[in-house]
Amino acid sequence: MPFDAISSASPIRSLNYQLLALALAVVYGGLLAGLPLDVFKDRASYLVYAEHSWLIFERYWETGPLAALANEPLWLLLNTGLTAVFPPEITLRIVIFVPATLVGWFVLRQDSRQFVWLLLFLLLPQVIKNHIIHLRQGVAIGVFLAGWFTSRQPLRWILLAATPFIHASFFFVLFLFVLVRIMRSLRLAADLRILLTAGAAVSIGGAYELAGLLGARQGGLYTAPAEVISGLGFAFWMLVFIVMLLQGRELS
């Protein structure tokens, strides 16, 4: 086949795959949003958010602007805006469907050669739970990925900066993100970067005590007794860490 024929066919194949990825992402989001609303943990709480977010925001604001900023104001304002147009049940399905579709799209479109593995990644319980249980985190992840993959620098930083005000855990995600960028700019050795990043991640646990002092709800939530936490998440992320180590010392 002539070279020009190959080059002209490649965009078509790429476009076909992008359309397939988009279609599957919409199906993925639609299936998760279509699940019953009353069979998953915390759905009653999310319905309360949908109905009363503005009242919740006002109460935080009365405590003080710092408390309002520490308690995910964008999440509350998102629910307030959606519920002004839709019933609470539809609002809940929207905050499931849109982020799940975004996550599916950004993941599947990355590499057609890894399609099966990317699809399996989306079906992992650790991924799906963000769109059926931890809905606030699912929204933040969708916004984070939108910022991560955009090529427009002002928009990218706006989206990334918005994520902690949807789910406060992204304050720490952005802290690690900035830390990694600083270490890269200093051209630190890969082993030292891994060690410093791991140390920073471990130290974050103590920051939830400070969150409680600031009036953030996460302060009490994440310092709950450890016996209610299973070891499955630890095992999964330890496996991810081992895979990273097996890739060798080549880090960008």
Side-chain angles (χ1 to χ4, degrees):
M1 181 181 292
F3 177 79
D4 56 349
I6 296 176
S7 62
S8 64
S10 297
I12 296 175
R13 288 200 299 270
S14 177
L15 176 60
N16 288 339
Y17 179 73
Q18 297 295 315
L19 292 174
L20 173 64
L22 178 59
L24 289 176
V26 171
V27 171
Y28 178 75
L31 289 175
L32 295 180
L35 294 173
L37 292 178
D38 56 353
V39 298
F40 296 103
K41 181 182 177 181
D42 291 340
R43 287 298 175 87
S45 298
Y46 283 112
L47 285 172
V48 170
Y49 274 117
E51 290 187 84
H52 305 294
S53 277
W54 183 250
L55 178 61
I56 296 170
F57 177 78
E58 285 183 324
R59 288 179 177 175
Y60 283 136
W61 188 262
E62 289 172 0
T63 303
L66 191 58
L69 289 175
N71 283 280
E72 299 142 347
L74 290 184
W75 164 255
L76 297 174
L77 294 175
L78 172 64
N79 279 272
T80 299
L82 288 174
T83 310
V85 180
F86 303 103
E89 293 78 8
I90 301 300
T91 294
L92 204 58
R93 295 193 187 279
I94 291 173
V95 299
I96 297 171
F97 172 75
V98 175
T101 300
L102 284 174
V103 170
W105 163 243
F106 286 123
V107 169
L108 290 175
R109 69 193 289 257
Q110 293 309 306
D111 191 344
S112 60
R113 297 168 298 178
Q114 306 297 332
F115 170 75
V116 174
W117 293 112
L118 294 174
L119 185 60
L120 289 176
F121 173 80
L122 290 176
L123 299 178
L124 285 173
Q126 289 82 359
V127 177
I128 290 181
K129 71 178 177 60
N130 294 315
H131 306 297
I132 61 174
I133 299 176
H134 303 149
L135 306 187
R136 177 175 31 235
Q137 192 167 43
V139 174
I141 291 172
V143 174
F144 182 87
L145 290 180
W148 183 269
F149 287 111
T150 185
S151 58
R152 300 179 180 180
Q153 288 304 316
L155 179 60
R156 183 187 196 202
W157 291 112
I158 289 172
L159 291 173
L160 293 179
T163 55
F165 303 105
I166 300 172
H167 195 286
S169 65
F170 277 81
F171 278 117
F172 307 116
V173 174
L174 293 185
F175 167 72
L176 293 176
F177 174 67
V178 172
L179 176 64
V180 169
R181 290 180 66 93
I182 292 174
M183 290 189 295
R184 283 180 177 175
S185 66
L186 295 175
R187 300 183 180 277
L188 298 181
D191 293 345
L192 181 58
R193 283 156 50 190
I194 291 175
L195 181 63
L196 290 174
T197 303
V202 171
S203 67
I204 281 173
Y208 285 111
E209 297 291 342
L210 177 61
L213 295 176
L214 292 177
R217 60 176 186 83
Q218 291 82 2
L221 178 62
Y222 294 112
T223 54
E227 61 266 17
V228 301
I229 303 173
S230 76
L232 293 178
F234 174 80
F236 171 75
W237 291 113
M238 178 58 70
L239 178 61
V240 172
F241 179 62
I242 292 172
V243 170
M244 291 173 61
L245 292 182
L246 292 176
Q247 302 309 304
R249 297 169 61 88
E250 287 296 325
L251 292 177
S252 60

